[in-house]
Amino acid sequence: MKIKALMAQYETFCPQELAMEGDPVGLQLGDPESEVRRVLVTLDIREQTVKEAIAQNVDLIIAKHPLIFRPLDALTTLDTQQKLIWDLAQKGIGVYTSHTNIDIIPGGLNDYFCQLLGLTDVETFNDEGLGRVGNLPMTELSVLTERVKETFNLDHLRLVTYDRQLKEKIQRIAICGGSGGKFWPQAKEHGADLYITGDIYYHTGHDMLSAGLLGIDPGHYIEQAFVPLVAEKIRAFATGVTVIESASSTNPFYDI
């Protein structure tokens, strides 16, 4: 299968045009006429991912976070980010990214989060189409926090609350992968008792609590769920292509 054929099949599920304006998605590196026999699916492309791709002898990496976020002013090995591109190009490994479009698309990453958490009656809660809100049977906050940790394989998470009211009852939950803190007002407007998203800022936490909205910040890395989700989608249509789920951790944070 050629890269262009794989792209065309994948984009019947996750079209590039659904990405937010200015979001660099699609084929970022490589020749669309090249043959693909082995694909690596990963959240991020970092030094360890590049080594893994080379060791696994893959032809294409499919990543959520773009390798190239802004136009390059040079391409040398002197810059760490540019070196990633250089090393992949030297080995003839292509890169395709699926960023906000995989968050927005029905059946994409945010819907997958809802599925994993067992939410029902799920709907989109913001104009961008990114976040989701849904319901659970009335659940104590202490139970919900443990469910989130188990679902996303976390040892710790941050709870947005002043007084650790872990017996608070939660029923309606909003969730947005990545850094979705700015969307909390829309989550509240859609009746959420609690909002789950990564990278919640200090003052955003204040504003949420003043409005009566609790929060869970499980970190940005829960988007690692992109890997099994997209790997499954590709295996369903890419007959004869070996799809490898990255075993590299690219989480830059370590709790001690």
Side-chain angles (χ1 to χ4, degrees), residues 113-133:
F113 290 150
C114 293
Q115 176 187 329
L116 293 174
L117 290 170
L119 302 187
T120 60
D121 305 313
V122 173
E123 59 182 344
T124 302
F125 75 74
N126 63 18
D127 293 339
E128 292 83 356
L130 291 167
R132 301 291 187 269
V133 61

PDB file of all heavy atoms in Angstrom, residues 113-133:
ATOM      1  N   PHE A 113     -12.428   8.603  25.032  1.00  0.00           N
ATOM      2  CA  PHE A 113     -12.320   8.850  26.476  1.00  0.00           C
ATOM      3  C   PHE A 113     -13.656   8.582  27.163  1.00  0.00           C
ATOM      4  O   PHE A 113     -13.704   7.961  28.239  1.00  0.00           O
ATOM      5  CB  PHE A 113     -11.919  10.307  26.745  1.00  0.00           C
ATOM      6  CG  PHE A 113     -10.522  10.668  26.360  1.00  0.00           C
ATOM      7  CD1 PHE A 113     -10.223  11.965  25.960  1.00  0.00           C
ATOM      8  CD2 PHE A 113      -9.492   9.750  26.397  1.00  0.00           C
ATOM      9  CE1 PHE A 113      -8.937  12.333  25.609  1.00  0.00           C
ATOM     10  CE2 PHE A 113      -8.200  10.101  26.047  1.00  0.00           C
ATOM     11  CZ  PHE A 113      -7.922  11.401  25.653  1.00  0.00           C
ATOM     12  N   CYS A 114     -14.734   9.075  26.569  1.00  0.00           N
ATOM     13  CA  CYS A 114     -16.065   8.884  27.158  1.00  0.00           C
ATOM     14  C   CYS A 114     -16.414   7.407  27.236  1.00  0.00           C
ATOM     15  O   CYS A 114     -16.981   6.936  28.231  1.00  0.00           O
ATOM     16  CB  CYS A 114     -17.117   9.627  26.342  1.00  0.00           C
ATOM     17  SG  CYS A 114     -16.960  11.427  26.392  1.00  0.00           S
ATOM     18  N   GLN A 115     -16.074   6.678  26.180  1.00  0.00           N
ATOM     19  CA  GLN A 115     -16.317   5.237  26.158  1.00  0.00           C
ATOM     20  C   GLN A 115     -15.550   4.542  27.282  1.00  0.00           C
ATOM     21  O   GLN A 115     -16.099   3.695  28.005  1.00  0.00           O
ATOM     22  CB  GLN A 115     -15.895   4.672  24.803  1.00  0.00           C
ATOM     23  CG  GLN A 115     -16.010   3.171  24.672  1.00  0.00           C
ATOM     24  CD  GLN A 115     -15.417   2.684  23.355  1.00  0.00           C
ATOM     25  OE1 GLN A 115     -15.439   3.386  22.326  1.00  0.00           O
ATOM     26  NE2 GLN A 115     -14.859   1.490  23.364  1.00  0.00           N
ATOM     27  N   LEU A 116     -14.288   4.897  27.445  1.00  0.00           N
ATOM     28  CA  LEU A 116     -13.459   4.271  28.476  1.00  0.00           C
ATOM     29  C   LEU A 116     -13.995   4.551  29.878  1.00  0.00           C
ATOM     30  O   LEU A 116     -13.905   3.696  30.771  1.00  0.00           O
ATOM     31  CB  LEU A 116     -12.015   4.771  28.366  1.00  0.00           C
ATOM     32  CG  LEU A 116     -11.238   4.353  27.116  1.00  0.00           C
ATOM     33  CD1 LEU A 116      -9.876   5.048  27.073  1.00  0.00           C
ATOM     34  CD2 LEU A 116     -11.066   2.844  27.055  1.00  0.00           C
ATOM     35  N   LEU A 117     -14.548   5.749  30.073  1.00  0.00           N
ATOM     36  CA  LEU A 117     -15.066   6.127  31.390  1.00  0.00           C
ATOM     37  C   LEU A 117     -16.504   5.685  31.603  1.00  0.00           C
ATOM     38  O   LEU A 117     -17.039   5.824  32.707  1.00  0.00           O
ATOM     39  CB  LEU A 117     -14.967   7.644  31.578  1.00  0.00           C
ATOM     40  CG  LEU A 117     -13.552   8.200  31.737  1.00  0.00           C
ATOM     41  CD1 LEU A 117     -13.574   9.720  31.667  1.00  0.00           C
ATOM     42  CD2 LEU A 117     -12.924   7.735  33.066  1.00  0.00           C
ATOM     43  N   GLY A 118     -17.152   5.170  30.560  1.00  0.00           N
ATOM     44  CA  GLY A 118     -18.511   4.679  30.695  1.00  0.00           C
ATOM     45  C   GLY A 118     -19.575   5.763  30.692  1.00  0.00           C
ATOM     46  O   GLY A 118     -20.665   5.562  31.241  1.00  0.00           O
ATOM     47  N   LEU A 119     -19.292   6.910  30.054  1.00  0.00           N
ATOM     48  CA  LEU A 119     -20.279   7.984  29.996  1.00  0.00           C
ATOM     49  C   LEU A 119     -21.379   7.650  28.993  1.00  0.00           C
ATOM     50  O   LEU A 119     -21.138   7.025  27.958  1.00  0.00           O
ATOM     51  CB  LEU A 119     -19.621   9.304  29.599  1.00  0.00           C
ATOM     52  CG  LEU A 119     -18.482   9.826  30.475  1.00  0.00           C
ATOM     53  CD1 LEU A 119     -18.067  11.222  30.017  1.00  0.00           C
ATOM     54  CD2 LEU A 119     -18.871   9.853  31.937  1.00  0.00           C
ATOM     55  N   THR A 120     -22.586   8.097  29.293  1.00  0.00           N
ATOM     56  CA  THR A 120     -23.730   7.893  28.399  1.00  0.00           C
ATOM     57  C   THR A 120     -24.303   9.249  27.989  1.00  0.00           C
ATOM     58  O   THR A 120     -23.978  10.285  28.578  1.00  0.00           O
ATOM     59  CB  THR A 120     -24.816   7.059  29.082  1.00  0.00           C
ATOM     60  OG1 THR A 120     -25.271   7.752  30.263  1.00  0.00           O
ATOM     61  CG2 THR A 120     -24.286   5.686  29.471  1.00  0.00           C
ATOM     62  N   ASP A 121     -25.171   9.213  26.977  1.00  0.00           N
ATOM     63  CA  ASP A 121     -25.823  10.440  26.478  1.00  0.00           C
ATOM     64  C   ASP A 121     -24.779  11.513  26.159  1.00  0.00           C
ATOM     65  O   ASP A 121     -24.924  12.683  26.529  1.00  0.00           O
ATOM     66  CB  ASP A 121     -26.833  10.973  27.504  1.00  0.00           C
ATOM     67  CG  ASP A 121     -27.853   9.936  27.910  1.00  0.00           C
ATOM     68  OD1 ASP A 121     -28.398   9.282  27.006  1.00  0.00           O
ATOM     69  OD2 ASP A 121     -28.103   9.770  29.115  1.00  0.00           O
ATOM     70  N   VAL A 122     -23.743  11.113  25.461  1.00  0.00           N
ATOM     71  CA  VAL A 122     -22.597  11.996  25.201  1.00  0.00           C
ATOM     72  C   VAL A 122     -22.935  12.990  24.094  1.00  0.00           C
ATOM     73  O   VAL A 122     -23.538  12.640  23.074  1.00  0.00           O
ATOM     74  CB  VAL A 122     -21.364  11.155  24.813  1.00  0.00           C
ATOM     75  CG1 VAL A 122     -20.210  12.049  24.372  1.00  0.00           C
ATOM     76  CG2 VAL A 122     -20.952  10.266  25.984  1.00  0.00           C
ATOM     77  N   GLU A 123     -22.524  14.242  24.291  1.00  0.00           N
ATOM     78  CA  GLU A 123     -22.697  15.280  23.287  1.00  0.00           C
ATOM     79  C   GLU A 123     -21.497  16.221  23.312  1.00  0.00           C
ATOM     80  O   GLU A 123     -20.747  16.265  24.289  1.00  0.00           O
ATOM     81  CB  GLU A 123     -23.996  16.062  23.520  1.00  0.00           C
ATOM     82  CG  GLU A 123     -24.075  16.729  24.865  1.00  0.00           C
ATOM     83  CD  GLU A 123     -25.401  17.459  25.077  1.00  0.00           C
ATOM     84  OE1 GLU A 123     -26.122  17.699  24.087  1.00  0.00           O
ATOM     85  OE2 GLU A 123     -25.704  17.796  26.235  1.00  0.00           O
ATOM     86  N   THR A 124     -21.343  16.980  22.224  1.00  0.00           N
ATOM     87  CA  THR A 124     -20.283  17.994  22.152  1.00  0.00           C
ATOM     88  C   THR A 124     -20.683  19.201  22.972  1.00  0.00           C
ATOM     89  O   THR A 124     -21.845  19.608  22.963  1.00  0.00           O
ATOM     90  CB  THR A 124     -20.051  18.404  20.690  1.00  0.00           C
ATOM     91  OG1 THR A 124     -19.701  17.245  19.935  1.00  0.00           O
ATOM     92  CG2 THR A 124     -18.940  19.430  20.577  1.00  0.00           C
ATOM     93  N   PHE A 125     -19.720  19.814  23.690  1.00  0.00           N
ATOM     94  CA  PHE A 125     -20.094  20.944  24.535  1.00  0.00           C
ATOM     95  C   PHE A 125     -19.497  22.282  24.107  1.00  0.00           C
ATOM     96  O   PHE A 125     -19.790  23.304  24.719  1.00  0.00           O
ATOM     97  CB  PHE A 125     -19.788  20.674  26.014  1.00  0.00           C
ATOM     98  CG  PHE A 125     -18.332  20.749  26.414  1.00  0.00           C
ATOM     99  CD1 PHE A 125     -17.668  21.960  26.519  1.00  0.00           C
ATOM    100  CD2 PHE A 125     -17.638  19.594  26.719  1.00  0.00           C
ATOM    101  CE1 PHE A 125     -16.343  22.032  26.903  1.00  0.00           C
ATOM    102  CE2 PHE A 125     -16.302  19.640  27.114  1.00  0.00           C
ATOM    103  CZ  PHE A 125     -15.655  20.873  27.193  1.00  0.00           C
ATOM    104  N   ASN A 126     -18.653  22.315  23.072  1.00  0.00           N
ATOM    105  CA  ASN A 126     -18.135  23.629  22.662  1.00  0.00           C
ATOM    106  C   ASN A 126     -18.226  23.820  21.150  1.00  0.00           C
ATOM    107  O   ASN A 126     -18.386  22.857  20.390  1.00  0.00           O
ATOM    108  CB  ASN A 126     -16.715  23.872  23.178  1.00  0.00           C
ATOM    109  CG  ASN A 126     -15.722  22.898  22.608  1.00  0.00           C
ATOM    110  OD1 ASN A 126     -15.961  22.252  21.615  1.00  0.00           O
ATOM    111  ND2 ASN A 126     -14.577  22.793  23.237  1.00  0.00           N
ATOM    112  N   ASP A 127     -18.134  25.058  20.733  1.00  0.00           N
ATOM    113  CA  ASP A 127     -18.326  25.402  19.327  1.00  0.00           C
ATOM    114  C   ASP A 127     -17.254  24.795  18.440  1.00  0.00           C
ATOM    115  O   ASP A 127     -17.506  24.495  17.270  1.00  0.00           O
ATOM    116  CB  ASP A 127     -18.331  26.926  19.144  1.00  0.00           C
ATOM    117  CG  ASP A 127     -19.526  27.592  19.791  1.00  0.00           C
ATOM    118  OD1 ASP A 127     -20.533  26.894  20.023  1.00  0.00           O
ATOM    119  OD2 ASP A 127     -19.450  28.805  20.082  1.00  0.00           O
ATOM    120  N   GLU A 128     -16.057  24.600  18.980  1.00  0.00           N
ATOM    121  CA  GLU A 128     -14.960  24.031  18.200  1.00  0.00           C
ATOM    122  C   GLU A 128     -15.161  22.546  17.912  1.00  0.00           C
ATOM    123  O   GLU A 128     -14.495  21.980  17.056  1.00  0.00           O
ATOM    124  CB  GLU A 128     -13.630  24.237  18.928  1.00  0.00           C
ATOM    125  CG  GLU A 128     -13.170  25.684  19.011  1.00  0.00           C
ATOM    126  CD  GLU A 128     -13.805  26.453  20.158  1.00  0.00           C
ATOM    127  OE1 GLU A 128     -14.661  25.891  20.860  1.00  0.00           O
ATOM    128  OE2 GLU A 128     -13.438  27.628  20.350  1.00  0.00           O
ATOM    129  N   GLY A 129     -16.044  21.911  18.667  1.00  0.00           N
ATOM    130  CA  GLY A 129     -16.299  20.493  18.486  1.00  0.00           C
ATOM    131  C   GLY A 129     -15.341  19.588  19.214  1.00  0.00           C
ATOM    132  O   GLY A 129     -15.337  18.371  19.013  1.00  0.00           O
ATOM    133  N   LEU A 130     -14.518  20.155  20.087  1.00  0.00           N
ATOM    134  CA  LEU A 130     -13.474  19.367  20.746  1.00  0.00           C
ATOM    135  C   LEU A 130     -13.990  18.567  21.937  1.00  0.00           C
ATOM    136  O   LEU A 130     -13.761  17.367  22.042  1.00  0.00           O
ATOM    137  CB  LEU A 130     -12.345  20.293  21.220  1.00  0.00           C
ATOM    138  CG  LEU A 130     -11.507  20.941  20.119  1.00  0.00           C
ATOM    139  CD1 LEU A 130     -10.653  22.052  20.698  1.00  0.00           C
ATOM    140  CD2 LEU A 130     -10.624  19.904  19.446  1.00  0.00           C
ATOM    141  N   GLY A 131     -14.649  19.242  22.886  1.00  0.00           N
ATOM    142  CA  GLY A 131     -14.993  18.610  24.154  1.00  0.00           C
ATOM    143  C   GLY A 131     -16.268  17.792  24.091  1.00  0.00           C
ATOM    144  O   GLY A 131     -17.102  17.943  23.192  1.00  0.00           O
ATOM    145  N   ARG A 132     -16.420  16.912  25.068  1.00  0.00           N
ATOM    146  CA  ARG A 132     -17.615  16.088  25.197  1.00  0.00           C
ATOM    147  C   ARG A 132     -18.148  16.191  26.627  1.00  0.00           C
ATOM    148  O   ARG A 132     -17.392  16.420  27.570  1.00  0.00           O
ATOM    149  CB  ARG A 132     -17.312  14.620  24.893  1.00  0.00           C
ATOM    150  CG  ARG A 132     -16.761  14.355  23.498  1.00  0.00           C
ATOM    151  CD  ARG A 132     -17.797  14.591  22.412  1.00  0.00           C
ATOM    152  NE  ARG A 132     -17.311  14.172  21.112  1.00  0.00           N
ATOM    153  CZ  ARG A 132     -16.666  14.941  20.261  1.00  0.00           C
ATOM    154  NH1 ARG A 132     -16.394  16.207  20.584  1.00  0.00           N
ATOM    155  NH2 ARG A 132     -16.281  14.473  19.083  1.00  0.00           N
ATOM    156  N   VAL A 133     -19.457  16.006  26.770  1.00  0.00           N
ATOM    157  CA  VAL A 133     -20.076  15.960  28.082  1.00  0.00           C
ATOM    158  C   VAL A 133     -21.067  14.803  28.085  1.00  0.00           C
ATOM    159  O   VAL A 133     -21.737  14.536  27.078  1.00  0.00           O
ATOM    160  CB  VAL A 133     -20.762  17.307  28.441  1.00  0.00           C
ATOM    161  CG1 VAL A 133     -21.873  17.645  27.463  1.00  0.00           C
ATOM    162  CG2 VAL A 133     -21.273  17.312  29.870  1.00  0.00           C
TER     163      VAL A 133
END
